[in-house]
Amino acid sequence: MSDPVLFEMKGNIAFLTLNRPEKLNALNYATNDLLLQFLDRIEDDPEIRAVIITGAGDQAFSAGGDIHEFSGSISEGVEVAVKAFVRRGQAMTARMEAFRKPIIAAVNGIAFGGGCEITEAVHLAIASERAVFAKPEINIGIPPTFGGTQRLPRLAGRKRALELLLTGDTFSPIKALELGLINKVVPHDELLPAAVELANRILRHSSVTAAGIITAVTRGLNVTIAEGLQMESEQFARIASSRDTREGLDAWIERRTPIYTGN
């Protein structure tokens, strides 16, 4: 039996591939748990400075939660379903959102439900022209449970998000780009190269500074502007004494390319 998530490292980039193509890469409990385990491993590895997540096969990024599995949990009772399904999925997307190394989704096909929620949660996303998105949970009588009722309105605005959440209609990658769900649409064959190119544009900079920016933005979105500005100040104070900041300043003054160490 194949692992539900594949891990590969190329240079300073970790690739996580959702690997249940026969199930359109549906997110069963084992997939969620393994994603969290890999994120722990990536966080602790100083050689890994960025993550690209995609789906196996040509059909799907992820069709969402494994309906057969969580239907069984619901049959056991609401408390069981909340613990096994809702909290597990929310923990996964929250971990991705707050992760201090940039995560890029390379959306290669269907991104429904939980697959769309991963796209909402990660820091950056590029979609193939073949991608298709949807918030279809209402079709099976449940609301989104991996953060979709909270993150999509923050990205797209309340009314545009509610239209998608209340209809369950599919939408194109061009629409996803318009809504702010993704950063770019590319030809299918160019998807992973485009994700790598974006990662490399980030990796030329200090990983310490990138982590501080991610933290300030992620935390700041959920507080008042005054509290967000305080977080911004705290991240500056945390980073300003680092070797990378000194190197960046010295390199600019000396008109040379900086060499960052991540310290």
Side-chain angles (χ1 to χ4, degrees):
M1 184 176 180
S2 299
D3 290 334
V5 182
L6 302 178
F7 172 90
E8 185 178 9
M9 188 172 167
K10 295 181 181 179
N12 297 116
I13 303 172
F15 290 78
L16 297 177
T17 303
L18 305 173
N19 187 41
R20 302 182 73 211
E22 73 286 354
K23 299 290 186 181
L24 297 179
N25 300 319
L27 301 167
N28 63 359
Y29 299 159
T31 301
N32 286 6
D33 293 346
L34 192 53
L35 279 169
L36 285 170
Q37 290 173 30
F38 278 133
L39 289 174
D40 287 344
R41 173 179 169 183
I42 290 165
E43 183 178 51
D44 293 337
D45 189 336
E47 295 300 314
I48 299 175
R49 296 181 53 208
V51 183
I52 293 174
I53 182 169
T54 192
D58 289 327
Q59 289 185 280
F61 177 68
S62 173
D66 189 309
I67 295 175
H68 293 287
E69 188 174 52
F70 74 73
S71 177
S73 295
I74 291 173
S75 297
E76 295 180 48
V78 171
E79 290 185 1
V80 172
V82 167
K83 182 178 180 180
F85 177 58
V86 179
R87 290 179 186 167
R88 185 184 252 113
Q90 288 182 351
M92 175 190 63
T93 53
R95 183 84 166 98
M96 291 178 175
E97 183 177 51
F99 206 63
R100 285 176 59 83
K101 298 179 182 182
I103 303 178
I104 302 167
V107 185
N108 57 306
I110 292 169
F112 290 177
C116 193
E117 285 166 311
I118 287 176
T119 309
E120 295 159 17
V122 298
H123 309 124
L124 300 161
I126 297 177
S128 158
E129 61 191 353
R130 299 182 193 174
V132 58
F133 298 84
K135 310 294 296 183
E137 291 90 344
I138 197 168
N139 294 328
I140 56 171
I142 65 169
T145 53
F146 292 4
T149 62
Q150 302 305 304
R151 293 191 181 93
L152 187 62
R154 284 168 167 79
L155 289 166
R158 181 171 66 96
K159 285 182 170 60
R160 294 196 293 183
L162 278 170
E163 180 180 352
L164 299 172
L165 292 164
L166 294 175
T167 64
D169 291 347
T170 60
F171 55 101
S172 70
I174 298 300
K175 181 70 171 179
L177 181 64
E178 175 193 333
L179 294 172
L181 182 58
I182 62 174
N183 298 87
K184 189 176 183 180
V185 182
V186 298
H188 187 73
D189 292 342
E190 297 177 17
L191 178 61
L192 283 180
V196 170
E197 189 271 338
L198 177 57
N200 284 329
R201 282 163 51 204
I202 298 168
L203 295 187
R204 65 187 175 178
H205 301 297
S206 163
S207 59
V208 173
T209 307
I213 291 170
I214 289 170
T215 297
V217 170
T218 301
R219 294 181 181 174
L221 283 172
N222 300 312
V223 299
T224 66
I225 184 67
E227 292 170 308
L229 289 171
Q230 179 60 34
M231 290 178 183
E232 183 175 86
S233 178
E234 289 170 358
Q235 289 303 310
F236 169 80
R238 180 177 181 273
I239 293 164
S241 62
S242 71
R243 292 181 183 176
D244 275 7
T245 294
R246 186 69 266 163
E247 170 64 12
L249 291 169
D250 289 346
W252 188 89
I253 292 168
E254 296 165 11
R255 296 294 188 266
R256 60 176 174 80
T257 301
I259 301 173
Y260 294 115
T261 63
N263 295 320

